[in-house]
Amino acid sequence: MSATPETIRVLHVDDDPDFADTVATFLNRENERFVVDTATRASEGLNRLSRSAFDCVVSDYDMPGMDGTKFLETVRERHPDLPFILFTGKGSEEVASEAISAGVTDYMQKATDPSQYAVLANRISNAAEATRSERELAKTRRRLELALDATDTGVWEWDPETDEVVWNDILERVMGLDPGAFDDSFEAFADRVHPEDFPRVRDRIERAIETYSMYEAEFRMRHEDGGDRW
């Protein structure tokens, strides 16, 4: 039996209640995972956000009391990572520029073609899933950091795309280095590996990258005092 897909809670703010109902109806047709709440003022939307958790906000621009950009700025102060899509009938470069400056996730103009709701649904889903993935990655990294902090294990992490290498303090101490003193590049790491062992280490790392597999390698690294550490 497959797991039930996680719901995506959407808060739609628009001062036209009939249009808000239409959007909710079409979004639910496009994606059964959507649970859409509506508000007719930005102040009401902020109140909803203070009481409940949402995965995405969709807002009009031209609304009484507080326009869409001001609403977005307030949301960003309280919920900096919450996806926010400006869905407006007032399209202009000025409005788009204001929204981008305020940290909008996406910007979309209203249209008469019903196909716009499929586009909107897709953008909501993508934004919500991306944010959830980022949060899960952050949690995983934090759990890993806590686990490593509780051990005496020296750890290094290399990003092949940027060539950045991150060492933890324990590994730097093993190498006789002060925390933060090591250069953050793979070349610097390679210079620390014993020259007789480096070709073997390099080959195993390259194979792991090509095949997305684990690797094991025992090798010597040069200590700051001139000796070697296995």
Side-chain angles (χ1 to χ4, degrees):
M1 182 176 178
S2 59
T4 302
E6 198 170 358
T7 59
I8 297 176
R9 291 206 62 191
V10 181
L11 174 62
H12 180 216
V13 182
D14 196 296
D15 63 325
D16 182 343
D18 292 336
F19 181 73
D21 289 342
T22 298
V23 171
T25 298
F26 274 95
L27 288 180
N28 287 323
R29 288 177 184 174
E30 292 293 335
N31 193 328
E32 62 182 10
R33 297 172 60 195
F34 288 158
V35 176
V36 184
D37 285 7
T38 61
T40 56
R41 287 179 176 267
S43 58
E44 183 186 351
L46 292 173
N47 190 34
R48 296 281 186 90
L49 288 170
S50 68
R51 301 198 315 262
S52 304
F54 290 90
D55 298 299
C56 186
V57 175
V58 178
S59 175
D60 189 17
Y61 173 80
D62 195 5
M63 297 183 293
M66 181 185 296
D67 66 28
T69 302
K70 295 298 183 184
F71 177 42
L72 168 59
E73 290 173 349
T74 307
V75 170
R76 280 287 166 264
E77 292 173 0
R78 305 175 187 182
H79 309 276
D81 301 322
L82 180 62
F84 191 110
I85 298 174
L86 196 63
F87 184 43
T88 175
K90 186 176 181 180
S92 70
E93 291 183 6
E94 181 181 358
V95 171
S97 178
E98 289 178 359
I100 292 171
S101 298
V104 74
T105 307
D106 210 337
Y107 174 87
M108 185 174 168
Q109 277 190 253
K110 296 175 182 176
T112 56
D113 187 345
S115 65
Q116 68 175 332
Y117 300 110
V119 176
L120 179 60
N122 187 54
R123 295 187 182 187
I124 293 170
S125 179
N126 289 342
E129 293 296 348
T131 300
R132 284 179 176 176
S133 296
E134 290 170 2
R135 288 172 182 167
E136 287 302 317
L137 179 59
K139 289 179 182 178
T140 300
R141 284 185 174 276
R142 182 57 183 156
R143 286 194 293 267
L144 178 59
E145 290 170 358
L146 291 173
L148 292 175
D149 288 344
T151 71
D152 292 326
T153 304
V155 176
W156 64 278
E157 177 181 320
W158 173 47
D159 185 338
E161 294 185 359
T162 65
D163 196 42
E164 181 182 8
V165 173
V166 179
W167 302 67
N168 72 347
D169 293 348
I170 295 173
L171 186 56
E172 289 180 322
R173 288 200 300 271
V174 169
M175 301 309 302
L177 296 166
D178 294 329
F182 195 76
D183 185 20
D184 58 350
S185 69
F186 185 74
E187 182 179 356
F189 165 77
D191 287 342
R192 287 275 169 180
V193 179
H194 194 287
E196 294 180 4
D197 298 339
F198 180 70
R200 174 168 48 83
V201 175
R202 180 196 58 211
D203 291 345
R204 293 195 180 185
I205 292 175
E206 290 178 349
R207 190 180 313 122
I209 293 172
E210 292 172 359
T211 60
Y212 296 94
S213 61
M214 300 285 289
Y215 80 93
E216 292 184 12
E218 185 177 2
F219 55 92
R220 291 163 289 178
M221 294 194 72
R222 293 172 169 175
H223 192 273
E224 193 69 7
D225 64 10
D228 294 329
R229 297 289 186 277
W230 283 95

